[in-house]
């Protein structure tokens, strides 16, 4: 529960994540949210905020002092917070300020496209979780795990947040769903970001829609003084590729039987305020129902949904097409794309179910596409193997939610 209001005048209580105002109307002023937080005890020295979905252009304040400001909001935002009150067991006031859509820079990659203003959520809101990460001197900011099926290996791409250039050790273990340790390894990390490989020794089964085998990778980042940070990631051993005119999953041909989920449009529906963040409802009525009808893929059209819904796809064995929100044009600057698309890639590819990255829909302007292609190819170069869509690759236009709010066709 957060307090919220306009002009830093807090007049109501809201639940985060969720809608604050009418989703079909652009906010008249900056939206402010506030919450008092008791920080945990423990041996930590630094704090990083992760805003998984905070639009538009969130600014963060600690005890009424601005500590960070960011563009965007359609991809996760990670920022280190610096303030003298951020110490173990302290109580602090956290505020987040969100710009209205019409006050965003026109080159911001998170602007809602002109062609979608009349049917998508255009309001300022926090649409996914806000997380505070506590660590000592260095943190695991990103860990994306991909597979090399032929070599029976996991390819791990990492990014660190750290104060100095001293070498760090990463201790990692692979566990099955019963918690049994299968593989352990120690990796020396000298750079702030990079890639390393882990041999799987035939211990790990592949992930597929028919058998979504999952494992937990536990990570501990260490320096000479001990533990800096720890986290865990879910791993599904899968490899998705294009061979000729055919998709392949784990070396075998696969056909995508899919439906589209337009989450950011659905949020504009009058019924969505109560349902759009309901994980149990989404699991029963969308994921499980479509899987029971024979679907093996969900196309999250025009923007990521909350990450908990991607996690459902991982568990149920639904492949995912992850899309950015560009539609009938791509007006973002290359600088904005270069800043926001890496976080979109990281947020998507950390879920083993994501098989297709799709940056723009129904866009024909060659000048715009040259900019987009240039940036997306640079971003994709950080990863082992990524399939990238162009315009509409598989033309899935079977929607579980109607394109038009006034029809309300559900099935």
């Amino acid at each position: 529960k957060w307090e919220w209001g306009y002009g830093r005048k807090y007049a109501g209580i809201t639940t985060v994540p969720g809608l604050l105002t009418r989703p079909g109307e652009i906010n008249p002023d900056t939206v402010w949210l506030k919450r008092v937080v008791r920080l945990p005890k423990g041996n930590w020295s630094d704090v990083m905020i992760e805003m998984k979905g905070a639009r538009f252009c969130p600014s963060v304040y600690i005890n009424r002092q601005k500590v960070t400001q960011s563009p965007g909001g359609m991809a996760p935002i990670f920022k280190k917070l610096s303030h003298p009150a951020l110490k173990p067991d302290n109580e602090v006031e956290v505020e987040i300020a969100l710009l209205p859509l019409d006050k965003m820079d026109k080159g911001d990659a998170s602007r809602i496209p002109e062609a979608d203003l009349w049917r998508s959520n255009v309001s300022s809101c926090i649409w996914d979780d806000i997380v505070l990460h506590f660590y000592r001197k260095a943190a695991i900011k990103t860990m994306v795990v991909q597979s090399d099926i032929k070599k029976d290996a996991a390819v791990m791409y990492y990014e660190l947040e750290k104060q100095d250039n001293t070498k760090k050790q990463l201790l990692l273990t692979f566990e099955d769903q019963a918690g049994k340790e299968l593989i352990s390894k120690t990796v020396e990390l000298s750079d702030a970001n990079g890639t390393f490989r882990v041999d799987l020794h035939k211990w790990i089964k592949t992930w597929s829609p028919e058998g979504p085998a999952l494992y937990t990778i536990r990570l501990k980042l260490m320096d000479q003084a001990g533990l800096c940070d720890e986290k865990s990631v879910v791993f599904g051993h899968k490899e998705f590729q294009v061979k000729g005119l055919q998709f392949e999953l784990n070396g075998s041909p696969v056909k995508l039987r899919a439906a589209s989920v337009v989450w950011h449009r659905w949020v504009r529906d009058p019924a969505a305020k109560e349902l759009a963040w309901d994980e149990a409802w989404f699991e029963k009525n969308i994921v499980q129902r479509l899987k029971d009808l024979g679907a093996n893929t969900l196309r999250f059209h025009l923007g990521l949904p909350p990450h908990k819904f991607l996690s459902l796809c991982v568990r149920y064995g639904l492949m995912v097409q992850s899309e950015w929100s560009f539609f009938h044009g791509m007006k973002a600057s290359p600088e904005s794309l270069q800043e926001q698309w890496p976080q979109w890639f990281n947020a998507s590819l950390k879920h083993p179910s994501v098989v297709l990255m799709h940056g723009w829909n129904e866009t024909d302007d060659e000048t715009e596409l040259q900019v987009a292609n240039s940036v997306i190819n640079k971003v994709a170069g950080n990863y082992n193997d990524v399939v990238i869509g162009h315009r509409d690759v598989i033309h899935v236009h079977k929607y579980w939610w109607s394109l038009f709010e006034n029809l309300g066709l559900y099935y």
Side-chain angles (χ1 to χ4, degrees):
K1 299 292 184 182
W2 292 61
E3 295 181 68
W4 82 278
Y6 290 113
R8 223 174 192 172
K9 296 177 181 178
Y10 296 101
I13 303 292
T14 190
T15 300
V16 170
L19 292 172
L20 296 168
T21 56
R22 293 181 179 179
E25 298 176 7
I26 296 173
N27 299 80
D29 199 355
T30 299
V31 172
W32 288 78
L33 298 103
K34 179 175 72 172
R35 180 174 176 175
V36 175
V37 177
R38 170 68 67 179
L39 303 180
K41 299 177 182 179
N43 182 28
W44 57 268
S45 60
D46 300 278
V47 185
M48 185 163 52
I49 192 168
E50 178 186 8
M51 294 177 278
K52 294 184 178 181
R55 57 184 226 182
F56 302 96
C57 307
S59 299
V60 179
Y61 296 74
I62 302 294
N63 292 348
R64 301 188 72 80
Q65 179 182 338
K66 183 189 283 190
V67 291
T68 185
Q69 183 175 353
S70 306
M74 292 300 285
I77 295 168
F78 293 84
K79 291 287 184 176
K80 183 179 177 181
L81 304 181
S82 296
H83 191 279
L86 295 173
K87 295 181 179 179
D89 205 32
N90 269 6
E91 191 173 79
V92 297
E93 180 185 85
V94 179
E95 292 176 293
I96 298 176
L98 305 172
L99 288 183
L101 175 60
D102 59 2
K103 295 295 192 296
M104 292 181 78
D105 187 281
K106 291 185 178 179
D108 194 306
S110 288
R111 279 183 69 96
I112 307 301
E114 202 74 29
D116 217 30
L117 292 178
W118 65 278
R119 57 184 168 185
S120 188
N121 174 23
V122 297
S123 69
S124 303
C125 64
I126 296 176
W127 58 270
D128 206 347
D129 294 336
I130 304 292
V131 182
L132 293 178
H133 296 274
F134 302 92
Y135 60 98
R136 186 186 61 79
K137 293 189 177 180
I140 304 165
K141 186 176 177 182
T142 297
M143 182 62 75
V144 175
V145 190
Q146 296 177 286
S147 298
D148 186 332
I149 296 289
K150 288 182 180 179
K151 295 185 178 179
D152 192 34
V155 183
M156 306 184 71
Y157 169 74
Y158 70 90
E159 294 178 14
L160 303 182
E161 177 77 32
K162 59 180 185 175
Q163 294 180 1
D164 54 46
N165 293 321
T166 59
K167 290 184 178 181
K168 302 291 186 290
Q169 274 193 336
L170 185 67
L171 312 181
L172 59 90
T173 58
F174 285 66
E175 298 178 359
D176 65 16
Q177 290 182 299
K180 179 183 177 182
E181 183 179 308
L182 302 176
I183 299 166
S184 63
K185 185 179 177 69
T186 301
V187 183
E188 302 289 337
L189 302 180
S190 55
D191 298 322
N193 59 75
T195 302
F196 61 90
R197 301 170 72 89
V198 178
D199 292 329
L200 300 179
H201 306 293
K202 306 296 183 183
W203 283 104
I204 305 298
K205 298 178 181 178
T206 55
W207 180 97
S208 69
E210 295 74 28
L214 294 175
Y215 301 86
T216 299
I217 305 177
R218 302 201 183 278
L219 307 162
K220 290 187 177 183
L221 187 65
M222 313 289 291
D223 65 9
Q224 291 182 338
L227 181 68
C228 297
D229 189 24
E230 58 183 331
K231 71 185 308 181
S232 62
V233 296
V234 173
F235 175 51
H237 189 33
K238 74 99 175 55
E239 197 170 55
F240 186 84
Q241 297 176 317
V242 177
K243 291 294 178 71
L245 298 178
Q246 176 71 59
F247 290 131
E248 286 190 356
L249 178 66
N250 303 333
S252 298
V254 62
K255 287 184 167 54
L256 307 190
R257 302 184 300 276
S260 286
V261 175
V262 206
W263 190 84
H264 292 277
R265 284 181 181 168
W266 180 45
V267 170
R268 186 157 167 162
D269 189 284
K273 187 175 178 65
E274 301 300 324
L275 297 176
W277 286 269
D278 189 328
E279 187 175 6
W281 186 91
F282 198 88
E283 179 177 9
K284 176 184 176 183
N285 293 285
I286 308 304
V287 173
Q288 189 168 5
R289 184 167 296 179
L290 286 170
K291 184 74 191 255
D292 289 346
L293 290 169
N296 64 9
T297 308
L298 286 188
R299 174 197 184 194
F300 282 108
H301 184 33
L302 297 177
L304 285 175
H307 287 79
K308 60 186 179 182
F309 297 151
L310 290 172
S311 295
L312 284 173
C313 294
V314 174
R315 289 197 284 112
Y316 273 84
L318 282 168
M319 295 179 286
V320 167
Q321 177 168 316
S322 172
E323 296 189 11
W324 195 253
S325 52
F326 294 138
F327 184 58
H328 288 288
M330 198 289 299
K331 307 300 181 185
S333 69
E335 294 78 16
S336 184
L337 293 172
Q338 189 63 59
E339 181 172 19
Q340 296 181 38
W341 270 1
Q343 297 308 324
W344 166 50
F345 266 65
N346 288 342
S348 300
L349 296 176
K350 74 178 184 180
H351 296 279
S353 56
V354 172
V355 297
L356 276 165
M357 299 295 294
H358 199 68
W360 49 88
N361 276 268
E362 300 176 37
T363 296
D364 298 307
D365 187 303
E366 291 302 327
T367 302
E368 294 178 356
L369 289 175
Q370 283 179 0
V371 172
N373 267 315
S374 174
V375 174
I376 209 166
N377 287 330
K378 289 179 184 176
V379 174
N382 289 324
Y383 307 96
N384 182 45
D385 198 10
V386 180
V387 179
I388 298 169
H390 176 58
R391 294 186 173 93
D392 277 333
V393 175
I394 52 177
H395 294 284
V396 176
H397 291 95
K398 191 75 170 172
Y399 290 87
W400 66 269
W401 169 73
S402 170
L403 280 170
F404 306 97
E405 293 91 336
N406 61 325
L407 293 181
L409 297 177
Y410 296 85
Y411 63 90

